[in-house]
Amino acid sequence: GKLVSSQTLIDANTIGLFTTNRRAVVDFYTKTFGFTTNWDGVQPKVVMTLGNSRIILFPRDAFEKVASRKSNHQNGTNGPIQICFDVPTFAEVDKGHGNAVQNGAKNVMAPVTEPWGQRTCYVADPEGNLIEISSVVSE
């Protein structure tokens, strides 16, 4: 059967990240993208919101204890997924990239305009999670 009835709306609007330094990650996403949180700095789970989107942080070691398995990636970025931010214009891609790097992100790919008309860039947050900032609007 279906996961939900036809009357229920499912929104895939939440990304969960395992972290070793929640404070650094909270500071990065609040300063760089404007996420807000009421995290008290103590609780293991952090919920950050931006519009209808949420990022949930949980300590990597706590997850490993609960799941009885390691959660690590050795390739320099934190796994095969990325967090994507669509911005209104090409200029905002460049501005977003600069702002992310200024707030502690590692540059992965500076802004470029792709042949298919998208301007995009990649950075890695303080935990190595890959972030894409892009737009399809040139003006």
Side-chain angles (χ1 to χ4, degrees):
K2 285 195 222 176
L3 183 60
V4 296
S5 71
S6 59
Q7 289 83 26
T8 306
L9 176 65
I10 290 185
D11 232 355
N13 66 344
T14 304
I15 298 168
L17 302 175
F18 299 117
T19 60
T20 53
N21 185 343
R22 285 166 297 155
R23 171 56 60 202
V25 176
V26 167
D27 288 349
F28 174 76
Y29 283 94
T30 56
K31 290 176 183 173
T32 304
F33 297 106
F35 278 84
T36 60
T37 185
N38 60 2
W39 182 52
D40 62 6
V42 177
Q43 296 302 313
K45 183 179 175 182
V46 178
V47 177
M48 298 183 294
T49 59
L50 179 66
N52 292 327
S53 300
R54 296 186 317 158
I55 295 178
I56 295 173
L57 308 179
F58 197 70
R60 186 180 307 277
D61 58 355
F63 169 78
E64 291 174 347
K65 192 174 191 179
V66 169
S68 300
R69 66 179 62 226
K70 284 285 185 192
S71 170
N72 62 349
H73 300 280
Q74 302 301 323
N75 66 355
T77 57
N78 205 9
I81 65 154
Q82 64 185 18
I83 300 169
C84 302
F85 291 94
D86 291 326
V87 294
T89 65
F90 283 15
E92 290 292 321
V93 173
D94 294 28
K95 181 179 174 184
H97 178 269
N99 190 37
V101 171
Q102 183 179 348
N103 284 314
K106 179 182 175 187
N107 177 50
V108 174
M109 185 182 91
V112 297
T113 302
E114 301 290 0
W116 53 85
Q118 176 188 32
R119 186 152 180 85
T120 190
C121 67
Y122 293 92
V123 296
D125 76 11
E127 294 272 334
N129 298 299
L130 191 61
I131 297 168
E132 178 184 24
I133 304 169
S134 70
S135 180
V136 293
V137 181
S138 61
E139 297 180 7

